[in-house]
Amino acid sequence: MPTIANMLQQYAEHNQLLSFEGTMETIIPGVYFHRATKSSPRQPLIYNSGIIIVGQGHKIIHFPEHQIRYGAGDYLVLGVPVPLECEAFTDNDLPVMGIAIDINPAMLHKLVNQIMQHKPLSASSSSAQIGAVQSATLGTAMELITHRLLTVLNNPLEAEIFGEDIVKELVYRVLCGPQGNTLIGLAMHDGHYARIARTLSTMHSSYANQITVEGLAEDVNMSVSSFHRAFKQITFESPLQYLKKVRLAKAKELITASGSKANEAALRVGYTSPSQFSREFKRLFNKTPSEVLTQLHS
């Protein structure tokens, strides 16, 4: 059986992506192909929720008190979008390659309900601390379903017929695996994890609006103190720090994608003080907005 790295290389060859850099959606909605020919230094990024399977190369995610290293043969489970600092490394001068899979909330809830009908969660597993980011090694079942997914990606007809079912099985395998609690927690509507996930959805859709911790806590029927504690446990950030990183990341996207000027980007993401925006942008990205814009055109 070919390795996942070999199959990703075949996908790149088949779809004329041997010079492609970055991430693009495949023929199956919600499934993305990633390729990078060079290592990248430690930098702040917002990781979206989903499943990331690495076929080649490795990455290190840095947290205040620990690191997660994941590479070929590993997968990463992200229950909620999280601002992280990450660095990527090529191995043996071969490109970093992998796939990412979005998780459809309706499908997730249905799967969790079906699983729980057959094997209800024990008290210990349902109350276990859930982090927003967890990694695990691909077991045999995960490896087989990943092979099936990569195989149909090269066949438009089979992708259309089987793609959704293969993604469903892949999510099921993750739910049954060592990091299943990360996704199961999302389906527990009244649990802290699901409430914080709803908060993050609000923050990502309304980051330009005036947002207060008190308002966010009230929206999910939590006291400010328990909300703050649960938020930091899940995202490794305070709510205001998280919001700041989301705003700055969105501003950087505006600058790099459409050439927005610093003051314009600041206003569009919710900053009222351009000087505060420039200071915090430089602190997070190690570059001023104008330096990012200059680098883009150099």
Side-chain angles (χ1 to χ4, degrees), residues 25-47:
E25 192 166 18
T26 67
I27 195 169
I28 299 176
V31 177
Y32 299 83
F33 170 71
H34 175 77
R35 185 179 186 276
T37 53
K38 295 179 181 176
S39 299
S40 57
R42 181 172 173 172
Q43 58 185 314
L45 301 166
I46 292 184
Y47 266 60

Side-chain angles (χ1 to χ4, degrees), residues 19-262:
S19 59
F20 175 76
E21 296 283 330
T23 303
M24 61 173 285
E25 192 166 18
T26 67
I27 195 169
I28 299 176
V31 177
Y32 299 83
F33 170 71
H34 175 77
R35 185 179 186 276
T37 53
K38 295 179 181 176
S39 299
S40 57
R42 181 172 173 172
Q43 58 185 314
L45 301 166
I46 292 184
Y47 266 60
N48 291 321
S49 57
I51 301 158
I52 298 172
I53 299 170
V54 184
Q56 202 161 264
H58 68 279
K59 297 186 177 186
I60 298 175
I61 298 173
H62 297 269
F63 298 96
E65 296 173 5
H66 71 289
Q67 298 176 343
I68 291 179
R69 184 190 189 280
Y70 67 105
D74 295 330
Y75 67 99
L76 196 70
V77 182
L78 297 105
V80 294
V82 190
L84 299 168
E85 292 198 356
C86 177
E87 54 187 328
F89 302 89
T90 59
D91 292 332
N92 302 317
D93 292 325
L94 296 170
V96 176
M97 287 195 294
I99 54 170
I101 299 101
D102 285 344
I103 298 166
N104 178 288
M107 178 211 292
L108 177 65
H109 283 86
K110 186 175 180 181
L111 282 171
V112 170
N113 287 335
Q114 288 176 301
I115 290 169
M116 290 179 66
Q117 284 174 14
H118 290 269
K119 44 179 186 180
L121 288 175
S122 65
S124 60
S125 64
S126 62
S127 62
Q129 178 172 323
I130 303 169
V133 187
Q134 301 289 340
S135 67
T137 302
L138 286 171
T140 303
M142 276 291 290
E143 203 165 335
L144 286 171
I145 193 65
T146 303
H147 272 89
R148 286 177 59 203
L149 180 60
L150 290 171
T151 299
V152 302
L153 279 176
N154 286 331
N155 186 315
L157 176 60
E158 291 190 0
E160 186 178 328
I161 294 171
F162 301 118
E164 190 177 328
D165 290 333
I166 293 173
V167 169
K168 182 180 178 181
E169 183 181 341
L170 193 148
V171 173
Y172 168 78
R173 297 297 173 194
V174 171
L175 284 166
C176 295
Q179 305 305 345
N181 274 351
T182 302
L183 298 184
I184 288 170
L186 288 176
M188 305 291 106
H189 288 290
D190 293 327
H192 284 178
Y193 191 75
R195 293 185 193 202
I196 298 303
R198 293 200 294 275
T199 294
L200 295 178
S201 178
T202 298
M203 293 170 93
H204 279 263
S205 62
S206 308
Y207 56 84
N209 300 337
Q210 186 175 359
I211 292 175
T212 65
V213 176
E214 293 78 11
L216 292 171
E218 187 179 339
D219 285 345
V220 291
N221 298 315
M222 293 176 72
S223 70
V224 171
S225 58
S226 62
F227 173 79
H228 199 281
R229 188 166 54 249
F231 194 101
K232 194 158 189 180
Q233 177 186 313
I234 290 164
T235 68
F236 311 103
E237 301 274 3
S238 71
L240 292 181
Q241 279 293 109
Y242 184 101
L243 178 61
K244 180 169 74 175
K245 288 186 175 180
V246 169
R247 284 174 167 167
L248 292 171
K250 297 294 183 183
K252 189 180 181 187
E253 282 179 20
L254 288 171
I255 291 167
T256 55
S258 55
S260 296
K261 292 182 179 176

